[in-house]
Amino acid sequence: MLQDMRENAQGTIAKIIIGLLIVSLSIWGMDAIVGGFSGEPEVATVNDEDITEREFLRVVQMESQRRLSEMERPDPAMLNEDQIRKDVLDTLIQEQVLIQDARAQGFVLDDEDVDALITQMPQFQVDGEFNRDRFVSSVRNLGMGVGEFREAMRKQYVVNQIRSGVIQSGLVANQNVAQLSRIQNQTRDFRVVQIPATAVSGEVEVTDAEIETFYDENSDAFRQPDQVDAAYITLSLGALADKVDISQGDLEAYYEQRADDLAREERRASHILIEDGADAEQKMASIQKRLNAGESFGDLAKEFSVDTVSAKEGGDLGYAGRGVYDEAFEKALFALEEGKVSDPVKTGFGVHLIRLDDVRRSEVPPLAELEQQLRNELARERAQEEYAEVRSELADSAYAADDLAGPAEELGLEVREAVGVTKEGGQAPFDHPGLVRQLFSDDVLEDGYNTELIDVGDNVSVVARVGEYREAQKLALEDVRDDIRRNLEARKTREQLANRAEAIIADLEKGETLADLNAGDWQQFNDQARNAQGADQRVMQTAFSLTRPAEGETSYGTAMTQSGVAVIALDAVNEGEAEEGSAELKQLRTFLASLEGQREYAAYQQYLRSTAEVSRP
């Protein structure tokens, strides 16, 4: 119960971890935390090797933090702890199987190799040099000790060596690549005639009996969910900032302080981007050689860059300041001199060559143009401390109160009302799942407590309580009769349109014409590619799914559209080209080979897992 937890949480229990194992490392100095203690309880055993409870719980914590970081509004109550624990254990078992396989194949990494890998990682460098303090801080932010991180690096490196080897060994037959390219580049000639919904409107009738039958057979669809009317208090930094008075002198001083930020440096860059594959290093070396020989950066971008948008402009990315590009890309760009080209830079998009084309620094706008913006920024900055204090007071006051009127009056806040909040939520702030879940909890709904203070947004906090609760109930037929009628009319209209289209196709196949059928006129589409924008996409999908017609014949199909139904007549399929040696064919071959390699590696993983002896206590 929430109240029990509240009462039991009044005392503070300090937990002190002692007995840290200290080891000396050649480049780290004294390692503060080293994983692996003998005699620990295990959560699973893989081929006679244990996965310890300590390791399992650490990874569970890390995975929970990762999933929280992916939430738009992080809320620990939204985490499915049981699922996380299951997923983590399955992952650790699979990882242990792969590590054992790598070891059996003789893949090992000694301490010096691990140290060399770590010192080369850009996230641990400052000004291009390894920084021990950044390394230790980063590792501890992951919830790991230095020794644990080094061991994880050792294991993952050897596993990735096998993974990369299998994936890069994926092969695909040249004829398959060419055939897929021809299919992808295929065009089609077809005709379309639209049959509007109004053409069958006179044939659609919905009776009261049909409405009643639909209502009875779909009763769950007309059930109004549980609802509550709620009172709530909102505390926001913005509201507090609105009350802060900023003098002209303070504003001018703040403007001077922000001058450097307001005059932002922007850099114009061009790049050549290639895929990070097995031949990336060789391909990039070839591009650099041609650059050094005097070839145009723009021409090489057009030839090699997989960023097709910028490649058309010679690799030009335009002007951008800091915070726009990937961290590694930005670091390289802002270290360049104008006109210079970087060494290869690896990011999540691939491998880049970056050229700095221009640097511009905007003038500081006059204070008059920025006055309101800066006044708001300074007010929010000054209100931050008050917000933290009032937030703490509101949390304590609402926790102890039997209503919200007292806390609101005490802190000068307003009690507001929200009507018809369901378990699916409602209007803000009840679009926050954590707040809604508390509102419908037993402690709040049945026992009459206030919710805890919930952070529903950036510097916005809410506490609420239930006013009136209404149980779920079925809506009366008269309240939904018109909706059911419209639903049934739309359904019958689609059925009649489909029947009309099939009848037209049957007559066309017998040799009749649209004129004979009084069904409108054909709209002709010739040499249409799959991604052409000339026709409705639903029509395009049907046109490209129809069977290739025999010479002099036609294949027919239908597609429901927004206004009715379309009858499609496919007249011809035009083979696409597959030019041997083209960049498109090379990229497709690389892509398909990678897919095949990944499929083979997935099968390899599954084989290792199925043959491993796994036991769980």
Side-chain angles (χ1 to χ4, degrees):
M1 298 290 283
L2 181 60
Q3 181 63 13
D4 292 335
M5 289 189 289
R6 286 171 167 164
E7 293 169 355
N8 292 332
Q10 301 306 306
T12 302
I13 302 174
K15 296 183 178 179
I16 303 174
I17 301 175
I18 60 173
L20 298 178
L21 180 61
I22 308 299
V23 298
S24 177
L25 296 176
S26 58
I27 58 176
W28 318 128
M30 301 301 291
D31 186 348
I33 308 172
V34 177
F37 294 88
S38 61
E40 290 188 73
E42 73 279 356
V43 293
T45 301
V46 181
N47 294 328
D48 297 327
E49 293 189 26
D50 294 338
I51 297 174
T52 66
E53 184 179 50
R54 177 175 177 273
E55 178 185 12
F56 170 70
L57 293 177
R58 176 178 59 78
V59 180
V60 166
Q61 181 182 17
M62 291 172 62
E63 177 63 12
S64 297
Q65 291 299 320
R66 186 190 68 78
R67 297 191 186 188
L68 278 173
S69 69
E70 292 179 348
M71 294 181 183
E72 183 177 348
R73 296 173 175 172
D75 182 359
M78 293 292 292
L79 295 176
N80 185 333
E81 296 292 345
D82 290 339
Q83 187 63 48
I84 290 175
R85 295 170 73 90
K86 178 183 181 300
D87 292 345
V88 166
L89 185 56
D90 289 343
T91 299
L92 289 175
I93 290 172
Q94 184 65 57
E95 181 184 74
Q96 186 65 28
V97 168
L98 295 173
I99 290 168
Q100 292 174 1
D101 175 62
R103 187 193 308 145
Q105 294 191 49
F107 285 87
V108 294
L109 208 64
D110 60 26
D111 290 345
E112 290 75 13
D113 293 332
V114 175
D115 294 345
L117 283 173
I118 292 174
T119 56
Q120 293 170 16
M121 295 174 72
Q123 57 266 47
F124 302 143
Q125 295 182 357
V126 175
D127 297 329
E129 298 291 334
F130 174 76
N131 184 280
R132 179 182 180 277
D133 291 337
R134 173 172 288 190
F135 167 72
V136 173
S137 174
S138 299
V139 168
R140 288 178 178 168
N141 285 339
L142 292 173
M144 303 175 72
V146 170
E148 288 175 302
F149 182 82
R150 294 176 75 250
E151 189 60 29
M153 280 286 296
R154 188 195 314 276
K155 293 176 179 178
Q156 287 304 314
Y157 182 82
V158 294
V159 168
N160 285 337
Q161 288 295 98
I162 296 178
R163 176 181 178 274
S164 297
V166 175
I167 290 178
Q168 291 175 18
S169 68
L171 297 175
V172 58
N174 289 337
Q175 59 267 33
N176 291 345
V177 178
Q179 177 64 12
L180 183 58
S181 179
R182 284 192 290 269
I183 293 173
Q184 184 65 30
N185 295 328
Q186 181 186 98
T187 64
R188 297 194 168 201
D189 302 338
F190 57 90
R191 292 164 287 145
V192 178
V193 62
Q194 295 281 350
I195 312 300
T198 53
V200 298
S201 57
E203 304 168 20
V204 174
E205 181 183 358
V206 175
T207 67
D208 288 341
E210 289 173 322
I211 292 174
E212 292 169 7
T213 299
F214 186 88
Y215 176 78
D216 292 336
E217 291 178 352
N218 299 273
S219 58
D220 288 344
F222 306 110
R223 184 170 294 280
Q224 191 175 45
D226 293 11
Q227 294 184 348
V228 298
D229 296 340
Y232 67 100
I233 297 173
T234 298
L235 172 67
S236 72
L237 177 63
L240 294 177
D242 289 341
K243 301 176 183 178
V244 176
D245 183 36
I246 304 297
S247 70
Q248 190 64 25
D250 289 345
L251 183 63
E252 292 173 358
Y254 186 64
Y255 172 73
E256 293 297 329
Q257 176 187 334
R258 292 285 315 281
D260 286 342
D261 294 333
L262 298 171
R264 196 165 78 117
E265 178 183 292
E266 293 184 318
R267 296 196 163 206
R268 184 171 188 171
S270 297
H271 79 146
I272 300 171
L273 173 65
I274 67 171
E275 294 180 345
D276 185 14
D279 62 343
E281 186 175 345
Q282 182 180 353
K283 181 184 291 187
M284 190 58 80
S286 174
I287 295 172
Q288 289 177 296
K289 184 177 180 180
R290 291 173 62 177
L291 269 177
N292 294 334
E295 291 195 44
S296 162
F297 188 97
D299 290 344
L300 291 171
K302 292 177 181 178
E303 180 179 350
F304 289 102
S305 185
V306 296
D307 180 0
T308 54
V309 175
S310 68
K312 294 177 182 178
E313 306 298 328
D316 184 24
L317 294 169
Y319 286 96
R322 292 186 181 274
V324 174
Y325 298 120
D326 179 275
E327 182 180 352
F329 189 104
E330 178 182 295
K331 181 179 179 181
L333 175 61
F334 279 83
L336 284 174
E337 296 179 9
E338 191 171 331
K340 298 295 185 181
V341 178
S342 72
D343 291 331
V345 177
K346 187 180 295 187
T347 72
F349 300 100
V351 184
H352 311 251
L353 281 183
I354 307 166
R355 185 182 68 190
L356 175 60
D357 296 328
D358 190 24
V359 179
R360 71 182 183 188
R361 192 173 177 81
S362 62
E363 295 293 329
V364 181
L367 175 58
E369 291 183 15
L370 301 173
E371 181 169 349
Q372 192 56 51
Q373 172 192 334
L374 296 181
R375 192 178 294 277
N376 291 341
E377 287 181 9
L378 186 55
R380 287 179 69 88
E381 186 177 299
R382 292 186 174 179
Q384 188 70 55
E385 183 176 348
E386 181 185 1
Y387 172 77
E389 292 176 357
V390 175
R391 185 190 181 285
S392 178
E393 292 175 8
L394 178 58
D396 292 341
S397 179
Y399 165 76
D402 293 329
D403 59 20
L404 293 180
E409 182 178 358
E410 178 184 342
L411 299 172
L413 300 172
E414 178 186 359
V415 179
R416 302 176 183 177
E417 301 288 333
V419 177
V421 181
T422 71
K423 291 181 179 179
E424 299 300 317
Q427 292 186 338
F430 295 99
D431 55 350
H432 186 276
L435 178 60
V436 173
R437 188 167 47 258
Q438 282 218 8
L439 196 64
F440 281 88
S441 68
D442 291 344
D443 297 296
V444 177
L445 187 62
E446 297 178 6
D447 299 338
Y449 293 113
N450 296 330
T451 68
E452 296 177 6
L453 189 65
I454 304 294
D455 294 323
V456 299
D458 185 19
N459 293 310
V460 178
S461 303
V462 172
V463 62
R465 69 181 290 112
V466 171
E468 181 182 351
Y469 168 67
R470 293 182 292 279
E471 292 185 355
Q473 56 184 337
K474 187 176 180 179
L475 294 170
L477 173 59
E478 290 309 311
D479 293 334
V480 295
R481 180 181 294 275
D482 290 342
D483 291 335
I484 295 175
R485 183 181 298 278
R486 284 190 291 270
N487 183 300
L488 292 177
E489 285 176 349
R491 179 185 296 181
K492 286 192 172 186
T493 297
R494 288 193 298 271
E495 291 173 354
Q496 290 296 333
L497 284 170
N499 293 337
R500 177 71 60 89
E502 292 299 333
I504 290 174
I505 289 174
D507 289 336
L508 290 171
E509 289 175 336
K510 292 175 183 176
E512 298 194 46
T513 67
L514 289 183
D516 297 332
L517 301 173
N518 193 27
D521 298 314
W522 290 113
Q523 183 181 6
Q524 187 72 45
F525 294 89
N526 290 329
D527 204 28
Q528 294 290 298
R530 293 177 184 275
N531 58 353
Q533 301 299 314
D536 186 299
Q537 285 304 301
R538 286 160 289 195
V539 170
M540 295 294 292
Q541 290 171 8
T542 298
F544 276 87
S545 67
L546 290 174
T547 304
R548 179 194 299 265
E551 184 70 27
E553 297 185 3
T554 302
S555 294
Y556 294 100
T558 65
M560 285 294 172
T561 65
Q562 195 166 10
S563 60
V565 67
V567 175
I568 300 106
L570 177 64
D571 296 318
V573 174
N574 311 309
E575 286 297 341
E577 295 182 356
E579 184 181 348
E580 185 59 40
S582 67
E584 179 185 4
L585 206 63
K586 290 179 180 178
Q587 290 179 12
L588 183 58
R589 180 180 290 109
T590 300
F591 174 71
L592 292 176
S594 176
L595 285 182
E596 179 62 19
Q598 292 176 37
R599 187 194 66 78
E600 290 176 359
Y601 184 67
Y604 181 66
Q605 283 184 298
Q606 182 59 40
Y607 166 74
L608 292 176
R609 177 68 178 82
S610 63
T611 56
E613 293 185 5
V614 179
S615 62
R616 310 184 191 195

